[in-house]
Amino acid sequence: MKVEMDLIDLKDIKLLVDSFYSKVRKDDLLKDIFQNVIKDQWPVHLEKMYRFWQTILLEEHTYFGSPFPPHAKLPVSRDHFDRWILLFETTVRENFSGENADKAVLQGQRMVEVFHAKIEYMKTNPNTLL
């Protein structure tokens, strides 16, 4: 079945984020990494992710901050990033289609590449300041 709905409002963003993190929390490769960092703060994390994607996709500026620093010292490899983007793209495509859906996938792919490169750099240059 082809999905005919684009991401157009905060309700859609919440559906995307909640659906995606539901998959992450069950994924054998990713769940422990997220759980070890987020612990019992899932509502706080999800709210932050709603604001991040609302800012990126809807251009409603509700997220302020820098997304990379909390990820800088995570024990992750290329495999983790590949799984993250697979789950993210799958979630987007299962629920949405259109300009903002495409933008979400593209932004996710960019984040994977940038975050992976920065984390690998930080591993080989541990004295680098963020």
Side-chain angles (χ1 to χ4, degrees):
M1 181 175 98
K2 182 169 169 50
V3 178
E4 301 280 340
M5 180 177 83
D6 202 0
L7 292 120
I8 59 168
D9 58 24
L10 183 57
K11 177 179 66 66
D12 296 334
I13 298 294
K14 287 182 177 184
L15 173 63
L16 170 63
V17 169
D18 291 345
S19 299
F20 170 66
Y21 281 104
S22 175
K23 287 180 172 113
V24 166
R25 292 175 82 171
K26 295 173 191 165
D27 185 82
D28 289 338
L29 184 61
L30 299 179
K31 67 183 177 187
D32 291 340
I33 290 171
F34 278 84
Q35 191 58 42
N36 289 340
V37 173
I38 296 172
K39 299 183 184 346
D40 64 348
Q41 297 299 307
W42 278 100
V44 172
H45 180 70
L46 293 174
E47 280 296 326
K48 190 180 291 185
M49 295 301 93
Y50 301 152
R51 291 190 310 272
F52 175 80
W53 288 108
Q54 182 181 20
T55 298
I56 297 295
L57 300 177
L58 305 180
E59 297 180 11
E60 297 171 3
H61 298 281
T62 57
Y63 176 83
F64 300 94
S66 181
F68 179 72
H71 301 86
K73 297 196 188 284
L74 291 178
V76 293
S77 67
R78 184 74 213 187
D79 290 343
H80 296 97
F81 285 102
D82 290 345
R83 181 71 56 85
W84 186 97
I85 196 60
L86 174 67
L87 294 177
F88 187 74
E89 287 184 23
T90 300
T91 305
V92 171
R93 298 300 181 207
E94 286 173 347
N95 293 285
F96 303 99
S97 67
E99 185 178 336
N100 281 340
D102 294 342
K103 187 176 176 182
V105 169
L106 182 60
Q107 183 62 37
Q109 292 167 343
R110 284 183 185 147
M111 287 184 349
V112 160
E113 295 309 317
V114 169
F115 280 29
H116 178 253
K118 284 184 172 185
I119 287 172
E120 289 303 309
Y121 179 82
M122 300 284 289
K123 287 179 184 176
T124 57
N125 298 278
N127 296 325
T128 302
L129 297 176
L130 296 176

